Amino acid sequence: MRLSLSSFSSILLLSLAACGGSHDAAAPVASGSDSAAASSPSVPSITKTVTLSLAAQVGQKMFFDKSLSGSGKMACATCHDPAFAYGPPNNLAVQLGGPKLDQMGNRAVPSLRYKDITPPYADLLDNPDGFSAPGPGGGFTADGRVNTLAEQAKIPLLDPVEMANTSGADVVKKLQAAAYADLFVQAFGKDAFADSNAAFDNATKALQAFQMEDTSFHPYSSKFDLYAANKIGGDMTASEMRGLHIFSDPNVGNCSSCHYQGAGLNGSSALFTDFSYEAIGVPRNTSIPLNQDPAYFDEGVCGPLRTDHKPKSATEANTFCGMFKTPTLRNIATRNVFFHNGVITSLEQAIRFYNTRDTMPELWYPNVGGTPLKTNDASFPTYGLIKTQYKGGTVQKYNDFPALYASNIDTQVPLDGRAVGSKPPMTDQNISDLICFLGTLTDGYKPGQANSTGKCAE
Ligand code: HEC
Ligand code: HEC
């Protein structure tokens, strides 16, 4: 759980000013936005070329090699497309994989950018903001079930609904037949293929080395990075700056309390995650095959994909249930599907969910027992998941979550449990400003370039 006392407001704003990794956070953001902007902004050094180690060169070849799959048609890059910040190139909630590329996956594909500074999973991880209580945090995948990028790579290579190799030895055999088999031997020694277990481990270390070393995985080349490096507003527009304040205002967006944007670990620039796990009650995605079984729930840290925090019995109150990793919001405007199950299909819809999950739950969760109206009231919003208005009945709030675990739901603004029908924390203007700010987190920004999310010039 994270604290969100309003007295921390000024700390949050100050920490924003410290975002470049330097700590001379003398001026709060608001007063620094325009006045000193005269000095010409320089783009942070993003184009510096690094020479990849031999292992990373192998990893680079592997990452794009479709022959390393049961279908022969799927590489890491098929799901983690560099043109989409190493996230999914399409609008599918989950991807199709397996030997015939006809098996639906279980979770939405995350971006692989900015994973290099992820701490190992801990039940009580210190929060990078320096004042929140420690809690579950760190690790890879949406439930933190692996601690290194190398371990992680084994999951898709062997998953029958993803790359669908039958074993590590199966992958190694394909590697031996690859055009870069010699490079593998150069990287890992003349006996590199002698023991298939060792060779499989090295293959996953190669994938890890590529992701750690290649700057395309952590370019820090967004408009926000330019702003953070200059500490004077860069060329952030007024709407982008308003959005930044919504993002960090503990009484309005409060996004920063989990998507922490202060200086990151190891002096890195803001990572837009505090690596924490939270239960926010994302609606069930009934299009995922596993969810056809009404008794199946993807409960994040407490399983079933992760196995070391499972409830001991069906009635045990387990505080890890329903928790998913807070993902980075860097490059969020390049995505088409959102949250661990991809049920939300636009950035605006994601923010609307935060804003009205409690005040208008009927927009997000199904109604049981009510009568559908022939025509919705004119005031019934169309941005939710549920497009039909009901009279009577019960809204199944948190429908992807056994009721036993309801107390695990985080209670911070904007998801603070405010009453149905009451005023949501953000206005429409706040929401469009927030989207503009999130648009500044897309890498590859060139000074003067328009914000991809829409009308953000004013
Ligand atoms: C069929 C699509 C698909 C393919 C192919 C694929 N992945 Fe993934 N990847 C996913 C999904 C889905 C997740 C989220 C898994 C979860 O949360 O349990 C993921 C998660 C990850 C993560 C964790 C990111 C995080 O935020 O913690 C890494 C790292 C990763 N994949 C690397 C790879 C590598 C390396 C390959 C190639 C060996 C690969 N992936 C191939 C779909 C894919
Ligand atoms: C209580 C902590 C918390 C707060 C506050 C919070 N988030 Fe999140 N956010 C999360 C978690 C946890 C997830 C992943 C949930 C899941 O997948 O089930 C998430 C996921 C997201 C995603 C989807 C990311 C992706 O890659 O699919 C977006 C977009 C997002 N948050 C935006 C925001 C914005 C904007 C705000 C402020 C209005 C905000 N969040 C406030 C914890 C939080």
Side-chain angles (χ1 to χ4, degrees), residues 353-364:
F353 168 71
Y354 279 101
N355 206 35
T356 57
R357 182 199 72 182
D358 296 332
T359 59
M360 291 193 82
E362 68 273 28
L363 298 176
W364 308 105

Side-chain angles (χ1 to χ4, degrees), residues 253-255 258-259 282 324-325 327 338-340 354 410 412:
N254 195 36
C255 317
C258 302
H259 299 280
V282 169
F324 290 91
K325 185 165 69 181
F338 299 83
F339 299 114
H340 70 276
Y354 279 101
D410 196 276
Q412 304 177 69

Side-chain angles (χ1 to χ4, degrees), residues 71-337:
S71 61
K73 291 181 181 149
M74 174 166 259
C76 308
T78 310
C79 295
H80 300 287
D81 187 332
F84 290 80
Y86 290 99
N90 54 37
N91 60 5
L92 299 177
V94 296
Q95 302 298 315
L96 293 166
K100 296 191 189 130
L101 293 188
D102 59 357
Q103 305 282 307
M104 281 170 84
N106 312 320
R107 287 186 180 156
V109 180
S111 165
L112 298 188
R113 284 218 172 127
Y114 304 101
K115 303 293 166 184
D116 53 322
I117 313 184
T118 305
Y121 176 86
D123 286 346
L124 291 173
L125 186 78
D126 282 339
N127 197 287
D129 69 13
F131 58 81
S132 295
F140 296 103
T141 82
D143 53 33
R145 67 192 186 280
V146 285
N147 276 332
T148 65
L149 289 168
E151 271 180 86
Q152 199 288 327
K154 294 185 179 178
I155 300 176
L157 284 167
L158 302 179
D159 191 324
V161 302
E162 294 186 332
M163 294 171 83
N165 293 292
T166 52
S167 63
D170 185 17
V171 176
V172 171
K173 212 168 66 203
K174 289 168 181 164
L175 268 178
Q176 262 177 300
Y180 52 92
D182 285 353
L183 191 61
F184 192 84
V185 172
Q186 275 179 50
F188 297 108
K190 66 176 172 33
D191 297 328
F193 288 115
D195 170 346
S196 60
N197 286 333
F200 187 47
D201 281 347
N202 282 334
T204 61
K205 282 184 188 139
L207 283 163
Q208 168 169 287
F210 174 50
Q211 294 171 74
M212 293 297 286
E213 292 176 30
D214 196 290
T215 46
S216 69
F217 287 94
H218 23 80
Y220 295 102
S221 61
S222 67
K223 186 172 191 177
F224 173 81
D225 290 305
L226 180 61
Y227 158 73
N230 286 308
K231 312 231 173 35
I232 50 170
D235 55 357
M236 297 277 270
T237 67
S239 55
E240 290 162 352
M241 286 306 290
R242 285 195 304 271
L244 171 52
H245 285 274
I246 300 300
F247 189 88
S248 52
D249 187 329
N251 300 311
V252 191
N254 195 36
C255 317
S256 57
S257 95
C258 302
H259 299 280
Y260 179 60
Q261 83 291 28
L265 301 180
N266 303 341
S268 68
S269 185
L271 293 172
F272 291 86
T273 173
D274 63 6
F275 310 102
S276 70
Y277 290 78
E278 316 282 346
I280 65 171
V282 169
R284 190 171 179 87
N285 187 347
T286 48
S287 73
I288 294 178
L290 282 174
N291 284 342
Q292 302 300 310
D293 174 0
Y296 178 87
F297 294 98
D298 183 352
E299 291 298 324
V301 180
C302 95
L305 297 181
R306 181 173 180 153
T307 52
D308 61 345
H309 286 69
K310 280 190 165 173
K312 291 186 185 57
S313 74
T315 53
E316 187 202 40
N318 177 317
T319 55
F320 297 101
C321 290
M323 283 191 164
F324 290 91
K325 185 165 69 181
T326 306
T328 178
L329 295 184
R330 284 180 170 270
N331 297 297
I332 195 70
T334 65
R335 290 188 69 81
N336 297 305
V337 295

